[in-house]
Amino acid sequence: MKRVLLYLWIITIGVNGLLAQELRYKNRDMVLSLVGDWNFKKEDWEKVDSVYKKDREIVLKAVNRFLCIIDDIDPSLQQDKEIVLASLKWSGCGIEFADKNMTDNKELMLKVIREKPIAFDFISDRLKKDKDIILMYLAVAPYRGYYLEDVIVNIEQNLLKDKKFIEEALNEDIELLPYVDKNITNDSAFIEYLIKKTGHGFAYATDEQKNNRRLILEALNHSDSDVLEYANSKIKKDKEIILKAVKKDSTELFYADESLKCNREFAKKLIDANVYTINYFCDKLLNDRELMLYALDKNELLFSYIGDELKKDKSLILRLAKEDSDVIEEMDESLRNDRKFIKEVIKFRPWNVIQKLNKQFLDDDEIVAYLAQYDYDALKYASKRFGQDRAFVKKVLKKQPFAINYIDPKLQTDPTIYLPVIKASGYGLAYATDKEKNDKALVMEAVSRNSYALEFASQELKDNKEVVLLAINNGTAGIELEYATQRLKKDKEVVLEAIKKDSMAFQYADKSLKEDREFVKKAVGISADVLKYSSKKFLKDKQVALLAIAQDDDIFEYLDNSLKKDKAFILEALRVANTHTGEDSEDRAKSKMLSEILGSSESIWENIDKNLTKDKAFITQAIEKTGYGLEYATPEQRANRAFVLNAIKLYPLALKYVDKKLKDDKALVLEAVKRDGRALKFATPKLQDNKRVVEKAINNRGDALYYASSRLKKDEALIIKAVRNNPSLLIFEESDKDLVLKLLKANIDVIDSFNMALKNDKQFIDRCINETGYGLEYATPEQKKDKAFILKALAKNFTALHGVDKSLKNDKELLLSALANKNIISCCGMRYDSSYLFYYHAYYFGRELYNNKAFIKKALKVQPNIFPYIREDFKKDKEILALMEEIKHPLWKKIFTPLNILLVFLFGYWWYEAKKRNRDKEI
């Protein structure tokens, strides 16, 4: 009976959790909030209660949010013109519900067909014969040639004889060519023009054209070509032509002569041109170990293409398994059943592997025990008996607490199992008793380690502000607010803290706050995206909108159309976006960094009402005040140096639209590139080859080097400067090992951009580790466990901790050594000190140490900058606060204050004078 009750209780917990999720779709306010969330998808709409599918406000908000749901709303609303029109505009859906006026509206149908090509079937007969509509349909139809019959049935014969139309149509879909009038396909001059322009038409080429090597090479400049398909045998043996063809498309090798597919010397050139060509190699080459290694060094994911014999090569598989666990599924079945070899493989890659093993190994004690240390999913896929073994489960949960979700239900509800897990990691609160879920100390311990544990706390504690704030502050996305009570969802302090983590949290706030103008103003000052979840009225509120734009100009896209037509508002919005008015100094620094990465204000200009671009007075005013709009300026304005210079200072990328002569004006281009390096793209080739201009550009943005001349792209000093600003740039030759080492020695982290050849070059990786500390993640398993070797690497570079074996993740000596390294590294366009390791504690630090107060105190002494990333309750701990005070204001600083130094000086002076007077008296 007890067992039955236990199972019923567990089922009840699960059902309650599911009900809580489902209830969101049965509450009008929640549904209204959800449909405005950009994570809300069509499949979520299917869960919405049918009552709200009749609610016009909810449906209209959903279709305005690009959701294609018109086929799943109440039939009465499918006839609502505003809803149908909004659906057509934003998602292209609902053409079948459109009236004749809509299906005969050319501008609207062009937009609809662009989104949903299938809409062509529903448009008016008049538009089906319209040139522009046909061209749009050909351009967007999902499969080339697949929908041509729809066009051919409606197309007028005179159009198939119209060369100008045919040129445009063939540019969109070359498969139309067989339907073209024969007089056109028999015109050799037209076919040659077509081949040069599109790479297609060789089926209709003359013998002379098919032997014209120059014409063939020109055709191959296009990404898609039918040259080899219709080429003669001589061309199919031409190595230069084959190499050029496969660079664009590996499938072109299919048409090459068979002798080339089995030519080992030529095969290497094919791999260099396009590694996917190995799919067409003969079996002999696919089983050539050296050649396949050469290919796999370029792309290890091509293991499935190699020959069957090599899929039995153990050393090859071990080498590849480190990078790609799919190799285990693709290797020969004899190896998949080889227990000894499987044990060897999992030592190289113990995570994300168990689900790819054959069934017999899911019941293997040694294999499952090893994998369970590294992967919490191990118990999910392993034999059920492991999850029922108390001793085994306890051992696993010490290292993988999340695995509690995959153990036997009896053990899940055993206090000796779940309580240690809750205290150590925060997981497992779902399985606690009601009394324990109402234990404030236990719940606070849980949410301090895992913020989502709040979901399983008692209703009383979900209404406790201290508990909820701890969960929110300890989380990363603010969605813990969803689990708080309605009372706390009205609490401004609680909601603001959640928004600081992620604006999406505002969707869970009480409706009263979403309607509160003063609160929304404060909230958009934290994140502009709050507007998406606020009352719709604020999308028309100019003051609120400007505060949001100051944070992120992308929000302009979601504002009410009335503001997108308001000239004065648009000009002010552009000004605010460029200056980030309203932010504090720290936020402005962040905005500057983001604008360097993403650019700024483009979103506003792209989303203004298009009718304004025809207003010459407005365009002139926009250019003068913001720099935007030069593409709509008069030729005289674009050639006016003073006018253009002013625009470029405000919006550097306006250089794209200036007169050609001004693009060669060095002073003008320098003004543009020093403000936005991307403007180099629009300078003349002469200035793209000017080192001073390029240097100014990459000082602003490292990726500006992409737009420099071929000569300057090879300049070592410029490469180092560019990569320092953006280490993810692949602007340098990876084979240039000396340059790679120079970058690493300059503390520029380019290690992740290495190709497979470099990652597997043991000698080079050893050199990187010994000279720079980078590369430990590609070291041998033995090196990753060698503490002496690791400490040497950490002394040079704290990021060496990335490569340490997981068995050492709680080693205090290693972690403190990493934190002690005060170097600054450049990574991903940012600069970091060793405190960033603590920020990513979930990856690099064991939770055991993260939750160890004694260790935290030691770590703070070594690297005080970790303080913002320690546990929230530790930040308020008296001992830790006293320690931070001592670190910031050590005793010697308290003694040697300016006032104390002055007093000592005055005392010394007084003593000296007193001594002097006494001496004078004696004399």
Side-chain angles (χ1 to χ4, degrees), residues 516-563:
D516 185 328
R517 188 171 186 270
E518 290 308 309
F519 182 79
V520 170
K521 281 168 67 177
K522 190 179 283 189
V524 296
I526 296 170
S527 172
D529 285 343
V530 163
L531 263 188
K532 295 177 187 176
Y533 310 104
S534 305
S535 169
K536 207 170 182 179
K537 66 184 179 182
F538 296 124
L539 295 175
K540 300 177 182 179
D541 188 312
K542 293 181 184 180
Q543 189 182 2
V544 173
L546 288 172
L547 286 170
I549 288 166
Q551 285 294 326
D552 182 358
D553 58 80
D554 283 344
I555 198 66
F556 186 86
E557 181 183 346
Y558 308 102
L559 300 182
D560 189 78
N561 286 334
S562 62
L563 295 186

Side-chain angles (χ1 to χ4, degrees), residues 575-591:
R575 185 194 68 77
V576 166
N578 281 332
T579 57
H580 298 282
T581 306
E583 298 177 348
D584 60 30
S585 57
E586 186 181 344
D587 285 337
R588 270 195 294 276
K590 289 177 185 174
S591 297

Side-chain angles (χ1 to χ4, degrees), residues 20-234:
Q21 290 293 319
E22 293 304 315
L23 283 173
R24 298 192 305 167
Y25 303 109
K26 298 184 184 297
N27 177 290
R28 189 181 187 278
D29 289 341
M30 284 299 291
V31 171
L32 198 58
S33 174
L34 284 168
V35 296
D37 179 1
W38 287 94
N39 288 320
F40 190 83
K41 301 287 187 289
K42 186 176 180 179
E43 49 268 31
D44 297 314
W45 175 260
E46 291 168 6
K47 300 173 188 174
V48 170
D49 194 287
S50 58
V51 173
Y52 304 122
K53 292 180 181 179
K54 298 177 184 177
D55 188 312
R56 192 174 185 277
E57 184 185 357
I58 289 174
V59 170
L60 197 55
K61 187 173 182 180
V63 295
N64 274 317
R65 237 273 293 117
F66 304 96
L67 281 179
C68 181
I69 49 96
I70 196 166
D71 57 339
D72 188 22
I73 62 175
D74 190 77
S76 62
L77 293 181
Q78 288 172 343
Q79 308 306 316
D80 185 308
K81 288 186 179 181
E82 188 181 355
I83 288 174
V84 174
L85 191 60
S87 184
L88 290 172
K89 278 184 178 179
W90 298 119
S91 66
C93 296
I95 184 74
E96 61 270 38
F97 305 111
D99 60 25
K100 288 182 180 179
N101 289 331
M102 291 181 193
T103 57
D104 199 45
N105 181 325
K106 182 176 174 179
E107 187 179 347
L108 178 62
M109 289 303 104
L110 279 169
K111 188 180 286 188
V112 171
I113 289 170
R114 186 187 296 116
E115 295 294 329
K116 299 282 180 185
I118 199 169
F120 186 83
D121 292 340
F122 297 92
I123 65 175
S124 68
D125 291 339
R126 180 183 74 85
L127 289 184
K128 282 180 180 176
K129 297 174 183 179
D130 184 274
K131 284 185 184 182
D132 297 328
I133 293 282
I134 291 170
L135 289 172
M136 173 62 74
Y137 183 55
L138 291 174
V140 298
Y143 303 106
R144 175 178 272 182
Y146 190 78
Y147 293 98
L148 268 179
E149 287 186 14
D150 297 339
V151 175
I152 299 302
V153 168
N154 293 286
I155 201 167
E156 295 179 345
Q157 285 302 309
N158 63 320
L159 277 182
L160 294 174
K161 297 177 182 179
D162 182 336
K163 267 192 183 180
K164 189 176 179 184
F165 168 76
I166 291 301
E167 280 177 28
E168 289 185 64
L170 291 174
N171 205 39
E172 300 298 353
D173 192 340
I174 197 68
E175 301 297 332
L176 184 68
L177 192 56
Y179 301 97
V180 171
D181 188 81
K182 286 185 179 179
N183 290 325
I184 293 178
T185 56
N186 289 333
D187 183 339
S188 62
F190 176 78
I191 292 298
E192 183 162 340
Y193 162 80
L194 186 65
I195 290 168
K196 287 179 179 178
K197 189 173 182 183
T198 69
H200 283 269
F202 264 86
Y204 303 93
T206 63
D207 289 340
E208 185 183 348
Q209 286 169 331
K210 287 180 181 179
N211 281 307
N212 185 334
R213 203 165 179 279
R214 180 193 54 77
L215 180 63
I216 289 169
L217 287 169
E218 194 170 343
L220 289 173
N221 287 329
H222 297 279
S223 58
D224 187 19
S225 165
D226 65 355
V227 171
L228 288 180
E229 186 177 352
Y230 298 103
N232 56 41
S233 57
K234 180 185 173 185

